[in-house]
Structure formats: C-alpha cells, structure tokens
Amino acid sequence: DAGITQSPRYKITETGRQVTLMCHQTWSHSYMFWYRQDLGHGLRLIYYSAAADITDKGEVPDGYVVSRSKTENFPLTLESATRSQTSVYFCASGAGGELDTQYFGPGTRLTVL
Amino acid sequence: QQPVQSPQAVILREGEDAVINCSSSKALYSVHWYRQKHGEAPVFLMILLKGGEQKGHDKISASFNEKKQQSSLYLTASQLSYSGTYFCGTEKNSGYALNFGKGTSLLVTP
C-alpha cells in the first residue's frame, strides 16, 4: 500500500527550464493539494483540486500550473523555473468530509540554479 | 489569513509539559494539528471542529475556542519522540483548503 508518493524526491534545474513534479495517491481521495515549504514561511498552498478536472488557486499560484486528468495524479509544473521557486514541495490528499484531514507525501526538494 | 502560532520555539526536558497556541483573525470551521520531524513530511495529529469537544491522543490533547478563534495543543509529560515542528492548519469553511501557521519548533532533551 503505497499511499501517496512524489517523484522525483530531489531535483536540480536551471533558471528558465520547465520542471514537472509528480504526485500519485492510491487511496482514491477526491482532494489533492500542492504546498511549498520555505524556512520562515511554513507551508503555503499553491493549488488544490477537489476532483478530476477541477482545480483552484491557493495562496501562491504564480509561476505554477497544475492539471488533474485522473483522480490519482496531480502533477505540478513550473513553466519557467526561477530561483525563488527553490523550495521543498509537498503534495497532500484527503477524502473530504468533516473529520477528514490531509495526508502528505514525502516531498520533493527542488533547487533552481 | 495565515494563523499565528506561539511560541515560535520551545525547549523542554523530558517529562515536562508544553502548550502551543494557534490564533486566527478569521472565524474558523476547523483546526488541524500536524507534527513534522526534520526532513520528513508533516504527520496528522488531530482535528478539532467548530462546536466540537477537546480531543485527546495519548498524552497530546487540544482545545478549540471558537469565540477567540484560537486552538491550543497540550503536550503532557513530554517524550523525546515529541521533538519536531508543530503546525496548525485552519479551515474557514468546509471547503477543505487549509492555511498553515509558520510552525512551533519543539525540542525535548533528556
């Protein structure tokens, strides 16, 4: 039972390149989320999705694109990476409902040179 | 909209108690508490809903004061394994997106 996985776990890229971070969950959760975590800022929501083909912006969406064609996958694309996007990216998923919460993947550490 | 956590950091000796607070300027629907160890993903601890009661989980419990828009996490008789960064995530309505605080770093020493 893999739960929620992210790939790659580590990525180094250069300014201006396109990068896609993958997120896959095996729970059939309706909701999926992307966060970035930076020292001093905590976890900030980039985008989230309530179901396949439904996405919405979070607190810091600029420079990022998401898609959700299948329930289990929620890729995050940096169309033209910038140094300010160097961060640890966490994907999370949840079933929704009053007593449910979000379950986090292991994270991807992205460095933009 | 980001909730404010206090204190930012705390150091305890094993067996001591600690309280971590989470305050919001907006009316809240729920508060979620997570713990994150260095280099790992946040792990869910508990959720408190508007109108709900204080929750408990072993020696970690939490309360939610709706009128003050504040939640507190209580760690009793702390253990070395409690070390990590604690985050509160707040939800304004049942739309499920969370706003997280900046975290409270907790270190338990022998």
Side-chain angles (χ1 to χ4, degrees):
Chain A
D1 185 3
I4 182 166
T5 57
Q6 294 182 236
S7 61
R9 295 292 315 278
Y10 301 90
K11 176 75 176 177
I12 299 174
T13 191
E14 295 178 337
T15 300
R17 288 192 181 266
Q18 183 179 78
V19 178
T20 296
L21 309 184
M22 303 301 293
C23 179
H24 176 78
Q25 52 104 355
T26 59
W27 292 310
S28 299
H29 283 163
S30 297
Y31 289 84
M32 295 188 75
F33 307 84
W34 274 107
Y35 295 90
R36 60 178 291 173
Q37 186 173 37
D38 306 288
L39 199 62
H41 287 99
L43 290 154
R44 292 183 291 175
L45 182 64
I46 305 171
Y47 270 97
Y48 68 103
S49 169
D53 298 322
I54 300 175
T55 61
D56 209 346
K57 295 179 181 179
E59 180 187 355
V60 289
D62 294 342
Y64 303 95
V65 174
V66 293
S67 62
R68 193 158 176 217
S69 57
K70 292 184 178 181
T71 299
E72 60 266 29
N73 297 323
F74 192 37
L76 175 74
T77 298
L78 289 68
E79 292 190 304
S80 179
T82 64
R83 288 182 181 169
S84 64
Q85 292 177 310
T86 292
S87 186
V88 179
Y89 290 85
F90 286 102
C91 177
S93 72
E98 273 199 341
L99 293 176
D100 199 20
T101 188
Q102 299 176 22
Y103 301 92
F104 283 78
T108 294
R109 183 174 293 276
L110 176 69
T111 302
V112 183
L113 302 176
Chain B
Q1 294 188 3
Q2 187 175 33
V4 176
Q5 289 186 231
S6 62
Q8 287 185 327
V10 59
I11 299 175
L12 300 172
R13 287 195 180 273
E14 205 171 0
E16 292 182 335
D17 302 340
V19 180
I20 299 172
N21 297 306
C22 175
S23 298
S24 174
S25 58
K26 305 280 187 181
L28 299 176
Y29 176 79
S30 70
V31 179
H32 303 226
W33 285 98
Y34 288 80
R35 176 172 61 210
Q36 184 181 30
K37 294 189 180 284
H38 183 69
E40 299 180 5
V43 174
F44 172 68
L45 292 175
M46 65 187 72
I47 180 173
L48 297 103
L49 296 179
K50 180 180 177 180
E53 298 178 356
Q54 181 168 344
K55 297 290 185 183
H57 178 43
D58 195 12
K59 293 180 180 176
I60 300 176
S61 61
S63 63
F64 181 16
N65 187 322
E66 297 161 35
K67 289 183 180 178
K68 292 185 178 179
Q69 286 127 230
Q70 178 176 313
S71 178
S72 295
L73 187 71
Y74 306 94
L75 298 100
T76 306
S78 60
Q79 305 168 16
L80 297 176
S81 62
Y82 286 3
S83 293
T85 301
Y86 289 78
F87 291 96
C88 68
T90 57
E91 186 180 8
K92 290 187 296 181
N93 51 49
S94 59
Y96 206 47
L98 297 177
N99 289 309
F100 284 93
K102 293 184 179 181
T104 295
S105 176
L106 178 76
L107 176 64
V108 181
T109 61

